[in-house]
Amino acid sequence: MSNQIDRQMVERVALLARLELSESEIAQFSTQLSGIVDYIEKINTLDTDRIEPLAHCLPVHNVLRQDEPLSSLSNEAALANAPEQIEGYFKVPKILDDNSGA
Amino acid sequence: MDLEYKIIVGLEIHVQLATKTKMFCGCELKFGQPPNTRVCPVCLGLPGSLPVMNKAAVESAILTGLALNCTISRKTKWDRKSYYYPDLPKNYQISQYDLPLAEHGFIEIPLEDGSTKQIRIRRAHLEEDAGKNTHTLGNFTAVDLNRAGTPLLEIVTEPDMNSPTEVRLLAQELQRIVRYLGVSEADMQKGHMRFEPNVNLHITRNGQVFKTPITEVKNLNSFRALERSIAYEVNRQLDEFLTTGKTMQVGNKSTYGWDDVNQITVLQREKEEAHDYRYFPDPDLVPVVISDDWLDRIASRMGELPLAMQKRFVSEYELSDYDAQVLTAEKATAVFFDAAVRCGAEPKRVCNLLTQTGLKLANEHQTTVDALGISPIQAASLARMVEAGDVSATSGAVIFEAMMQSDDDPKQIAEQRNLLQKSDTGQIETLVEQVIGENPKAVSDAKTNPKKAKKAMGFLMGQVIQKSKGQANPKIVAEVLNRKLMK
Amino acid sequence: MSELLTALELRDAIAAKTLSSTEAVRDCLGRIEKYDPELGAYLLTFTEKAMQDAETVDRKIAAGQPVGPLAGVPIAVKDNLCTTFGTTTCGSKILERFAAPFNAHVIERLLAADAVIIGKTNLDEFAMGSSTENSALRKTVNPWDASRVPGGSSGGSAAAVAAGLCAAALGSDTGGSIRQPASFCGVTGLKPTYGRVSRYGLVAYGSSLDQIGPLTRNAADAALLMNIIAGHDPRDSTSVSDVMAKKPDYLAELNQPINALKIAVVPELIAGAEPRIRTAIENALKVYQSLGAERVEITMPHFDYAIAAYYVIATAEASSNLARFDGVHYGHRSAEAGNYIEVYSKSRDEAFGPEVKRRIMLGTFALSSGYYDAYYLKALKVRNLIRQDFVKAFEKADCLMLPVSPTTAFKIGEKTDDPLQMYLADVYTIAVNLAGLPGLSVPCGFDEENLPIGLQIITDAFTEDKLLRIGQMYQNATDWHKQRPEL
Ligand SMILES: [Mg+2]
Ligand SMILES: [Zn+2]
């Protein structure tokens, strides 16, 4: 599966990652990521048919919180780091499409 | 042309759970607060913050899954669903992907003809809500994250509904269920229930079946919009098929919005965008393992579900389906009714008191019948008095209202207000004799003219009751009158 | 003078009033002023606050009031730990002016222990790197040789401890980021078991791998710091409860050597390091054997796959964790953004450095549709195989010993053009993170260019007490850890 990170793939991934890469970045990432992915390919030489994926190292489950309110931040503190704000809201350029996915 | 079509609808419903706090942080859930005042590092998605599950939300979701006859996953987990949007502060939503909390269930919905239908539930999973983007403050978008992190239960049905009405009935039944369970206020005005129907048609023309492309109508938040948008889509798809002949293909599911002003659906996205949500297990959260014991404890909170109660009121109390439906619309009414009947009152009398007077008063006071200050015991004895003819139905209503301010027995109230009907036969006999003496024509009609007998009897009864100033028990009057005329 | 003392010695001297905290902190700040312009260990120092805090401690001690276990001791913290004072930059332009509204759990613990937090140390941007060269804000050099890197990503913390610019420091370790800079700078570094120290307030890189730990002069100081920072925190779902793993007193039995210590070694792994490192490791093993330890040769069949699995898992998690840096709610926003999509794409392109972008790209790829199974899911399975290797190793021995790094500190700029070569240098440290185990790096010699060499000791989960005792055995018998660079 050598060299699968071609230019088109870099562009597709960059779009998913919301990174507006320059021409030189696209070229560089295509080379570098191909090399890295080639190396990573070695995991696919292992037989893992009967192996469970290990997402969490800890054998811990059911960490639950009681439904009791805690204090929230003030509006001022919530917006303290906001690049732009207006009337207590975070402000962004107008969204024209509705692309929410919940 | 020989053309038939079948409407196929599946529904996705997001139900907001009525917890005190958010899904993964302690921010209090309160509607209508100033923007960005119910937020903390966790729901703002600030770097370094970490989510911790709300136990009540998990339990509410399990309870709902049980009520929807689902299999509850004994081990479930959280996944991140990635997409960029300004109301989604982490740019991923914590949701459940391949191991939903509940799956393979069904909901039984009452249809308008009195029968019921089972709609299969594909899955129900928990997730966090996004915030809110406002586009109307100016030439920009304003983001409020108060809603971000609110626990949502996403319920997905199989495409088992075949008319706009069925879809509405399902939505309404689901509303009734989650309210009975107490897991959601299901207040449509507050956006507690949001619907996304997937609609298409199976058209049979000249023996051949054509399937129209599936369309999804996004973000509907009223039963009316839900029903009408589907009805509109049905016509639109039929027209489109007849004009273009377009049929369903992989990936041509398009997305529509509902224009409530013009009552039409509006195309939002032509093709299902190449969504790549990159789901993967959220490393910040640990799995949820549901033991028998925990599941039993949650199940014990279920109580009787509305449709079961509605059916029982018909079979056990011999109420009409209509009455049973009215009584079970709200859990408070149904439970109050059931309790009053169990106190030994005739069901129909209690039903009439509640549906004609109780619900009206509850509505006026913007509360439920159980919160009017009247106990089921009081209501039951009032119903018995009406049944026995001790008070008229009209007086019953007056007494019912009076009981709101008084803990007195309805009989005492009736006495205080002089509303008791006279059942003293002697006194009534005197009045009947007077009336018979004064109305020979009516008496003779009642006795001998079969055509006019009924009307004449009614007239004589009215005269007696009038003479008693409305206090004579009509039952006794009829009895005495009949006896006297037989002579 | 106070810079020669360990944290424990300094604490005892302050408590005994033979030295005031004010003096110690003033000394420390003086050295920072003198040496840090060249060293570049700190991104930020809290000159005024530190002096005030020191005075407070001195007043308390003078008044005979009880003080915490680190009272008056100057401590440095890596700048990916949230503090309500100063900025929390993660070495990134995107957070250059970010002020966190809460303190990380470990910061709360340090403050409660009356430590004086003297400043925030440099790191590879978002802890992604092995040389601290990826910091977008400052260059840090190795105190032993200014032409060389201090290691990374906790390079600032390691350099500060080595140069005596603080008594001890906190770092974070996702793939070796505490142990490797500790070995490059000749200090002691402990990466605790995953779940031992709360990650609350640590800006996440790879959430299932990240762990906060101490960088210190010796094992005893590491034990002292672990006593303060370890323990359950309900705000981190992956922080273990006392029921599951009771927190021991790490200092209590530190000087008790382990009887009949069994040390596992993998000969091929030792053979993979530079000759001088091999010799230093063999010599260290001889020291242990002279103390009664037994050497057991084992194999770790899947160790060789750790880097490949790690760079899938860590970057996948990172791609999601770093999605929140989008210029909407906090952090850098591009001045060029014309629409909201560009707020994301331009802000992120402008403010993330090349290594961060590379890892986001790699992780996004590994999770994207069509590649998830072959890379992400596969890597999780390989992770399990690696953990099983460790389980088997600990059936045969108390600990595993191996080098920390195949080389000593390399030249600045030497590997920046070849990211894969940089990744391959993490060969010895990464498996520990994948398996969630504790790992300790202790100085064990110098190469021909007088650059420090580190010995890595790994024990089973939640046995840091034993791990530190093993380290202490060595440090009681050697004085490599007492060597100081000439500044
Ligand atoms: Mg959803
Ligand atoms: Zn919150």
Side-chain angles (χ1 to χ4, degrees):
Chain A
M1 291 232 273
S2 183
N3 213 14
Q4 50 184 307
I5 315 290
D6 57 8
R7 188 196 165 81
Q8 208 187 336
M9 176 65 85
V10 170
E11 283 175 346
R12 183 193 142 191
V13 173
L15 182 68
L16 283 176
R18 296 294 187 275
L19 286 169
E20 192 177 298
L21 301 179
S22 66
E23 276 303 311
S24 65
E25 281 177 315
I26 292 172
Q28 198 186 27
F29 281 150
S30 177
T31 314
Q32 289 176 342
L33 294 177
S34 294
I36 295 165
V37 171
D38 270 349
Y39 175 78
I40 286 170
E41 271 305 322
K42 73 194 284 180
I43 58 176
N44 282 310
T45 63
L46 283 173
D47 176 9
T48 53
D49 281 354
R50 277 166 307 186
I51 307 297
E52 283 294 307
L54 183 69
H56 292 91
C57 274
L58 285 174
V60 172
H61 55 80
N62 293 8
V63 177
L64 298 153
R65 174 177 60 80
Q66 293 303 318
D67 186 23
E68 280 152 16
L70 299 171
S71 59
S72 296
L73 292 173
S74 67
N75 180 257
E76 201 184 14
L79 297 174
N81 288 290
E84 271 195 274
Q85 53 175 289
I86 184 156
E87 292 169 27
Y89 293 87
F90 296 96
K91 187 181 171 189
V92 285
K94 193 154 196 143
I95 301 169
L96 300 169
D97 61 321
D98 183 10
N99 202 21
S100 66
Chain B
M1 187 169 44
D2 168 27
L3 187 141
E4 280 174 12
Y5 66 89
K6 189 176 183 190
I7 301 167
I8 311 285
V9 188
L11 193 59
E12 274 178 37
I13 311 114
H14 284 94
V15 180
Q16 177 177 328
L17 298 178
T19 50
K20 289 204 269 300
T21 66
K22 293 185 179 181
M23 186 66 236
F24 297 111
C25 66
C27 287
E28 199 170 4
L29 286 172
K30 259 195 180 160
F31 188 76
Q33 300 293 300
N36 299 305
T37 55
R38 296 281 160 177
V39 289
C40 73
V42 178
C43 56
L44 285 172
L46 292 188
S49 65
L50 292 169
V52 185
M53 278 174 262
N54 182 340
K55 189 179 183 191
V58 174
E59 294 190 338
S60 293
I62 294 172
L63 184 61
T64 311
L66 288 170
L68 299 179
N69 307 291
C70 289
T71 306
I72 304 298
S73 306
R74 291 317 186 87
K75 184 169 177 177
T76 180
K77 66 179 172 76
W78 298 96
D79 300 288
R80 294 183 180 177
K81 176 184 181 180
S82 295
Y83 64 91
Y84 281 80
Y85 211 55
D87 61 9
L88 190 68
K90 302 185 293 295
N91 288 318
Y92 62 79
Q93 180 193 30
I94 305 177
S95 181
Q96 299 190 288
Y97 182 50
D98 53 343
L99 291 176
L101 203 58
E103 51 188 343
H104 311 310
F106 65 87
I107 176 171
E108 189 178 3
I109 60 168
L111 299 180
E112 283 174 330
D113 66 0
S115 67
T116 64
K117 178 173 178 178
Q118 276 193 9
I119 308 293
R120 289 170 299 157
I121 303 290
R122 183 178 298 169
R123 57 182 281 158
H125 71 254
L126 255 178
E127 60 184 31
E128 55 174 349
D129 203 350
K132 221 169 193 170
N133 294 327
T134 304
H135 315 288
T136 51
L137 296 181
N139 192 28
F140 53 85
T141 292
V143 186
D144 172 17
L145 297 177
N146 283 349
R147 200 181 68 182
T150 300
L152 293 181
L153 187 65
E154 180 177 326
I155 300 166
V156 184
T157 78
E158 295 291 346
D160 288 352
M161 287 156 284
N162 305 109
S163 73
T165 310
E166 274 183 24
V167 180
R168 174 182 45 86
L169 289 170
L170 176 124
Q172 286 174 328
E173 183 60 14
L174 186 65
Q175 182 191 47
R176 194 162 72 143
I177 290 171
V178 294
R179 284 179 171 172
Y180 264 61
L181 297 172
V183 299
S184 175
E185 290 171 41
D187 186 335
M188 310 299 287
Q189 253 85 51
K190 293 179 184 167
H192 291 172
M193 281 180 95
R194 309 200 288 269
F195 308 103
E196 286 170 4
N198 278 257
V199 187
N200 81 331
L201 305 176
H202 290 185
I203 299 169
T204 311
R205 187 168 62 184
N206 304 326
Q208 205 185 338
V209 179
F210 301 90
K211 296 178 180 177
T212 58
I214 298 176
T215 60
E216 178 171 346
V217 188
K218 297 293 267 182
N219 246 326
L220 300 164
N221 47 23
S222 77
F223 297 127
R224 221 163 82 128
L226 177 63
E227 187 168 12
R228 291 194 178 177
S229 67
I230 295 166
Y232 185 87
E233 265 305 297
V234 168
N235 288 326
R236 194 196 59 73
Q237 290 191 14
L238 193 60
D239 280 353
E240 188 183 71
F241 173 75
L242 293 174
T243 339
T244 67
K246 223 163 53 178
T247 57
M248 188 164 77
Q249 273 150 23
V250 178
N252 70 348
K253 173 169 146 181
S254 46
T255 305
Y256 282 76
W258 177 243
D259 176 347
D260 209 44
V261 176
N262 298 304
Q263 297 279 299
I264 55 169
T265 61
V266 184
L267 183 65
Q268 284 181 344
R269 264 202 311 269
E270 186 75 61
K271 275 195 179 162
E272 185 161 54
E273 202 184 78
H275 275 306
D276 188 345
Y277 289 125
R278 285 157 287 138
Y279 283 101
F280 78 106
D282 191 329
D284 288 332
L285 290 161
V286 299
V288 181
V289 175
I290 299 159
S291 65
D292 288 347
D293 184 51
W294 192 17
L295 197 59
D296 288 348
R297 269 183 286 139
I298 295 167
S300 71
R301 304 203 314 238
M302 178 124 71
E304 195 175 14
L305 291 173
L307 187 59
M309 223 164 180
Q310 183 182 329
K311 286 178 175 173
R312 181 165 65 80
F313 288 176
V314 173
S315 63
E316 193 177 325
Y317 300 149
E318 295 174 334
L319 294 182
S320 71
D321 202 55
Y322 175 80
D323 281 342
Q325 206 176 326
V326 173
L327 285 173
T328 54
E330 271 185 279
K331 188 180 187 179
T333 318
V335 169
F336 188 94
F337 164 79
D338 210 20
V341 172
R342 280 162 206 268
C343 290
E346 208 274 319
K348 180 63 185 169
R349 291 288 175 202
V350 182
C351 171
N352 288 348
L353 276 176
L354 291 183
T355 56
Q356 288 159 18
T357 310
L359 288 175
K360 197 185 76 185
L361 290 171
N363 193 36
E364 279 168 19
H365 291 84
Q366 294 188 357
T367 183
T368 47
V369 288
D370 62 336
L372 287 171
I374 299 168
S375 72
I377 299 173
Q378 282 180 301
S381 42
L382 177 58
R384 278 196 301 270
M385 287 173 66
V386 176
E387 175 68 15
D390 294 344
V391 292
S392 67
T394 322
S395 304
V398 174
I399 295 165
F400 195 95
E401 189 162 359
M403 288 195 299
M404 283 173 62
Q405 313 299 337
S406 164
D407 291 334
D408 287 350
D409 187 88
K411 193 162 185 179
Q412 284 169 283
I413 296 172
E415 275 165 5
Q416 287 155 17
R417 303 202 173 202
N418 208 19
L419 296 171
L420 278 179
Q421 296 188 127
K422 299 259 157 53
S423 301
D424 176 345
T425 331
Q427 205 180 346
I428 289 172
E429 272 186 44
T430 317
L431 292 174
V432 168
E433 273 162 15
Q434 267 183 38
V435 168
I436 287 175
E438 286 165 10
N439 297 284
K441 174 84 173 76
V443 171
S444 110
D445 281 350
K447 278 183 165 175
T448 57
N449 191 338
K451 272 188 187 164
K452 293 184 176 173
K454 210 175 168 192
K455 202 179 166 192
M457 268 303 277
F459 172 77
L460 293 170
M461 286 255 321
Q463 290 295 306
V464 177
I465 287 168
Q466 208 173 20
K467 274 192 191 296
S468 77
K469 299 193 176 78
Q471 293 187 343
N473 183 337
K475 250 183 172 170
I476 313 281
V477 174
E479 239 175 66
V480 174
L481 200 54
N482 270 319
R483 183 156 38 82
K484 298 268 177 196
L485 293 175
M486 289 302 161
K487 280 181 189 164
Chain C
M1 152 62 206
S2 64
E3 81 276 3
L4 296 175
L5 301 178
T6 67
L8 203 53
E9 289 163 350
L10 196 51
R11 175 195 81 172
D12 290 343
I14 291 167
K17 296 185 228 176
T18 56
L19 180 72
S20 71
S21 172
T22 314
E23 286 170 76
V25 170
R26 193 183 294 122
D27 275 4
C28 189
L29 289 168
R31 287 178 66 83
I32 292 172
E33 203 178 299
K34 189 168 170 198
Y35 298 112
D36 206 47
E38 196 206 339
L39 204 56
Y42 285 92
L43 288 173
L44 179 65
T45 47
F46 303 115
T47 314
E48 256 173 61
K49 183 183 171 1
M51 286 305 293
Q52 283 166 10
D53 290 352
E55 282 161 22
T56 306
V57 168
D58 285 337
R59 262 202 308 276
K60 277 196 199 172
I61 290 172
Q65 287 168 17
V67 287
L70 260 183
V73 179
I75 303 290
V77 299
K78 190 175 179 177
D79 201 24
N80 58 354
L81 294 167
C82 290
T83 52
T84 55
F85 41 98
T87 47
T88 300
T89 69
C90 296
S92 180
K93 279 189 187 153
I94 213 158
L95 289 179
E96 200 167 355
R97 280 176 293 276
F98 179 74
F102 66 101
N103 280 323
H105 177 77
V106 292
I107 300 293
E108 287 178 351
R109 291 282 180 102
L110 286 177
L111 295 174
D114 289 321
V116 176
I117 295 175
I118 200 139
K120 301 188 83 174
T121 54
N122 199 15
L123 67 157
D124 285 299
E125 184 175 1
F126 287 104
M128 295 179 185
S130 316
S131 66
T132 313
E133 290 165 289
N134 295 328
S135 171
L137 304 180
R138 205 173 180 194
K139 178 169 143 183
T140 305
V141 302
N142 192 307
W144 294 87
D145 179 348
S147 71
R148 292 175 188 271
V149 301
S153 64
S154 308
S157 287
V161 174
L165 306 191
C166 62
L170 292 185
S172 66
D173 189 318
T174 307
S177 286
I178 289 174
R179 290 160 287 157
Q180 186 255 24
S183 91
F184 277 19
C185 292
V187 302
T188 300
L190 173 67
K191 182 253 155 194
T193 310
Y194 187 78
R196 181 77 281 177
V197 178
S198 168
R199 296 182 294 115
Y200 186 78
L202 166 68
V203 180
Y205 157 26
S207 311
S208 77
L209 306 156
D210 296 340
Q211 205 41 207
I212 300 165
L215 292 104
T216 54
R217 302 266 151 80
N218 60 22
D221 278 2
L224 172 65
L225 262 91
M226 282 298 284
N227 273 352
I228 290 157
I229 63 171
H232 181 62
D233 174 14
R235 294 167 300 186
D236 174 2
S237 304
T238 63
S239 151
V240 288
S241 66
D242 292 341
V243 180
M244 197 194 146
K246 195 171 156 28
K247 174 186 168 185
D249 181 338
Y250 296 100
L251 273 173
E253 294 191 16
L254 189 69
N255 281 306
Q256 284 293 109
I258 310 277
N259 280 328
L261 176 70
K262 274 192 181 173
I263 301 168
V265 292
V266 182
E268 310 89 84
L269 289 184
I270 297 176
E274 280 176 351
R276 284 299 293 261
I277 294 176
R278 293 202 305 256
T279 312
I281 301 295
E282 289 296 347
N283 288 338
L285 288 164
K286 280 178 199 142
V287 171
Y288 275 105
Q289 281 165 307
S290 75
L291 295 170
E294 185 193 339
R295 173 182 170 139
V296 188
E297 293 196 354
I298 62 156
T299 57
M300 296 280 283
H302 302 99
F303 206 94
D304 194 34
Y305 298 87
I307 295 175
Y310 172 85
Y311 277 95
V312 173
I313 296 167
T315 60
E317 292 180 5
S319 72
S320 165
N321 286 332
L322 271 63
R324 69 189 67 198
F325 303 107
D326 61 3
V328 172
H329 310 99
Y330 49 84
H332 170 80
R333 178 182 292 186
S334 171
E336 311 295 316
N339 58 49
Y340 90 94
I341 303 276
E342 287 179 356
V343 169
Y344 299 141
S345 58
K346 286 190 192 289
S347 303
R348 288 164 66 79
D349 185 56
E350 288 169 10
F352 282 145
E355 184 59 29
V356 170
K357 285 185 204 170
R358 192 151 43 232
R359 295 197 192 192
I360 290 174
M361 290 290 290
L362 182 58
T364 304
F365 167 74
L367 290 175
S368 68
S369 126
Y371 298 92
Y372 181 91
D373 287 357
Y375 296 108
Y376 181 72
L377 194 65
K378 184 77 184 184
L380 290 187
K381 292 178 175 184
V382 173
R383 180 181 194 172
N384 204 353
L385 288 171
I386 290 166
R387 190 177 67 165
Q388 288 171 19
D389 280 358
F390 279 107
V391 170
K392 283 176 200 144
F394 295 131
E395 283 165 6
K396 297 192 187 91
D398 296 292
C399 65
L400 176 70
M401 287 191 190
L402 70 166
V404 177
S405 168
T407 69
T408 51
F410 46 84
K411 292 268 186 195
I412 290 167
E414 189 182 321
K415 294 188 183 179
T416 40
D417 290 338
D418 191 345
L420 183 57
Q421 283 314 306
M422 190 78 98
Y423 297 171
L424 294 177
D426 296 338
V427 58
Y428 295 128
T429 48
I430 265 172
V432 169
N433 299 79
L434 289 171
L437 299 174
L440 181 69
S441 171
V442 290
C444 70
F446 290 86
D447 71 2
E448 46 276 83
E449 287 171 280
N450 200 37
L451 296 168
I453 298 169
L455 166 71
Q456 186 177 199
I457 314 168
I458 302 158
T459 57
D460 207 353
F462 302 106
T463 60
E464 287 87 348
D465 48 346
K466 181 162 113 180
L467 178 58
L468 288 165
R469 279 167 68 190
I470 297 170
Q472 180 75 355
M473 277 171 79
Y474 184 71
Q475 291 187 339
N476 280 339
T478 59
D479 61 2
W480 300 114
H481 62 285
K482 290 181 182 157
Q483 308 299 311
R484 312 299 300 274
E486 263 176 55
L487 298 179

